[in-house]
Amino acid sequence: MRKFVSRLLVGLAVLLAASACAATRHTSTSNEVPTSVSSTTQLPEPSTTTTADAQQPARTEPFSIAIGPEGVTYQRDGDPPSGPSSFVVLEDGSVVVADTMAADRGEPRLLRYDRHGVLLSVIDLATFEVAAIVDVEKANGTLVVLDVHTDRAIYRVLSIELDGGLRSSTVIPDGSHFENGLTGLASDDSGVLLEFEFGRRYERLASDGSSTEQATLVLGGHEVEVTSEASKVATVRVGDAQWDVTRRTDLGGVTLVGVASDTIVLVVDEVDTSGAALSVTRRVQRYTLSGELIGEVEFDAGDQEVDIARPLEVGALGDILRMWARPDRVDIVVLAL
């Protein structure tokens, strides 16, 4: 539990400081199925004819990834111990993992696996002087990486082709850094956004990287907002529909995973401080776009071997995948939701 809680509390502090309820982004349950300063160029414009979009959507099967040079990297000496920061699922069902801690040995990289878990490629980012892969997203047939060099205060968004080529690199201007609440990336119908305070607000970069502007997330043609004030209740808005999601604890938060197959997937984190140690329960919920709850999976959020900032993703066919860090491997599991 202690391995997860330190990051959770950092997240809570960020959001509570903004008068919001916080959220972060595991013993297996019956609901899981485990198995084995640079130049600035323009970000890619939205396209309907990209390589990824041209492929038929395919379902990702559960699989496991080894720990070590031939797989993902753990840094067990940190506080908290860290591993891959995030992952993304492409239209063909393949999975791209941000092997963040490999940068410590001079190998910043992305690992791409096919939908059955066979390694397709190691995308080397050392050529682009990537310091730390904070997050990875997908947009317009490319992989989009948030790269941060904290010592030099350099923040960049890189668009990487699936073959490892660099399509664009855009510097994030001052005022949109960690100290301003930056927590990662998001993508919507119009491309890539900067995410702040775990989805409380978003900004979109100007094409030349000179500035940002406030933006509303639009997914599948629907404006999507999740707002939490200083209460147990979060308000979810999808287009004209709006409903409340209520936590069972004072401490915690509600965040968005994604929209797929005419449903929206949310995460409800609930922190219980009544016992001798903190207990963190995570409820992954699927709703219709009008707000009807149609499924829920609940598990202990503190059972990760190392910290993974974003362990949940929506698959190509609307299934929910979870990256579970175990002592000897990382499992990509499919939630029964």
Side-chain angles (χ1 to χ4, degrees):
M1 175 64 71
R2 65 177 181 83
K3 299 172 183 176
F4 173 83
V5 166
S6 58
R7 179 180 175 88
L8 176 68
L9 294 180
V10 170
L12 293 173
V14 169
L15 294 188
L16 290 174
S19 299
C21 296
T24 60
R25 283 256 213 235
H26 306 331
T27 303
S28 177
T29 72
S30 59
N31 292 313
E32 298 175 349
V33 190
T35 70
S36 45
V37 177
S38 70
S39 61
T40 299
T41 56
Q42 187 169 355
L43 285 172
E45 295 297 325
S47 169
T48 58
T49 59
T50 63
T51 301
D53 290 337
Q55 300 180 26
Q56 287 292 101
R59 190 175 305 279
T60 306
E61 300 295 332
F63 64 90
S64 297
I65 305 170
I67 304 302
E70 302 304 315
V72 295
T73 309
Y74 281 0
Q75 172 52 266
R76 300 178 190 268
D77 297 332
D79 185 19
S82 299
S85 62
S86 57
F87 72 113
V88 67
V89 184
L90 304 184
E91 285 299 298
D92 62 358
S94 62
V95 172
V96 178
V97 177
D99 190 20
T100 305
M101 303 314 299
D104 282 359
R105 60 173 186 266
E107 297 182 77
R109 64 187 192 175
L110 303 170
L111 305 175
R112 185 184 179 196
Y113 297 87
D114 75 6
R115 68 189 192 93
H116 302 290
V118 176
L119 182 64
L120 294 175
S121 62
V122 177
I123 302 174
D124 181 12
L125 302 181
T127 302
F128 312 130
E129 299 182 347
V130 167
I133 306 171
V134 175
D135 201 1
V136 61
E137 260 292 353
K138 61 181 179 182
N140 310 316
T142 68
L143 303 170
V144 184
V145 169
L146 174 59
D147 170 42
V148 177
H149 195 308
T150 53
D151 291 343
R152 298 169 62 189
I154 298 174
Y155 290 67
R156 300 185 297 168
V157 175
L158 284 73
S159 181
I160 309 293
E161 303 283 0
L162 294 183
D163 64 5
L166 180 65
R167 181 184 291 190
S168 66
S169 173
T170 303
V171 174
I172 301 173
D174 292 342
S176 298
H177 293 178
F178 286 155
E179 62 267 27
N180 309 113
L182 178 67
T183 48
L185 297 174
S187 63
D188 72 352
D189 294 354
S190 296
V192 176
L193 304 96
L194 303 178
E195 177 207 78
F196 294 81
E197 299 165 18
F198 303 102
R200 182 175 173 83
R201 58 187 177 89
Y202 299 91
E203 294 180 4
R204 202 179 298 276
L205 277 166
S207 59
D208 62 359
S210 61
S211 62
T212 64
E213 61 181 14
Q214 297 295 316
T216 299
L217 200 67
V218 180
L219 297 169
H222 304 281
E223 289 190 352
V224 179
E225 293 182 331
V226 180
T227 58
S228 296
E229 301 304 330
S231 72
K232 296 180 181 179
V233 179
T235 300
V236 181
R237 181 175 71 85
V238 181
D240 295 330
Q242 182 171 301
W243 66 94
D244 290 338
V245 177
T246 303
R247 298 190 315 275
R248 297 174 296 201
T249 60
D250 291 325
L251 198 58
V254 178
T255 51
L256 173 71
V257 178
V259 171
S261 305
D262 295 324
T263 65
I264 180 173
V265 181
L266 304 172
V267 175
V268 183
D269 284 327
E270 297 167 324
V271 183
D272 184 358
T273 60
S274 62
L278 290 178
S279 173
V280 185
T281 298
R282 174 159 288 170
R283 291 190 285 145
V284 184
Q285 299 180 329
R286 190 190 292 270
Y287 291 84
T288 67
L289 299 186
S290 61
E292 178 186 356
L293 179 64
I294 55 178
E296 178 177 282
V297 173
E298 180 176 313
F299 50 85
D300 175 8
D303 221 4
Q304 295 272 32
E305 176 69 14
V306 297
D307 178 59
I308 299 178
R310 297 185 183 276
L312 294 164
E313 281 292 329
V314 176
L317 293 176
D319 46 333
I320 311 304
L321 283 78
R322 180 175 176 229
M323 187 158 56
W324 177 20
R326 307 192 69 180
D328 60 343
R329 67 186 188 274
V330 168
D331 285 340
I332 301 297
V333 301
V334 180
L335 301 183
L337 181 62

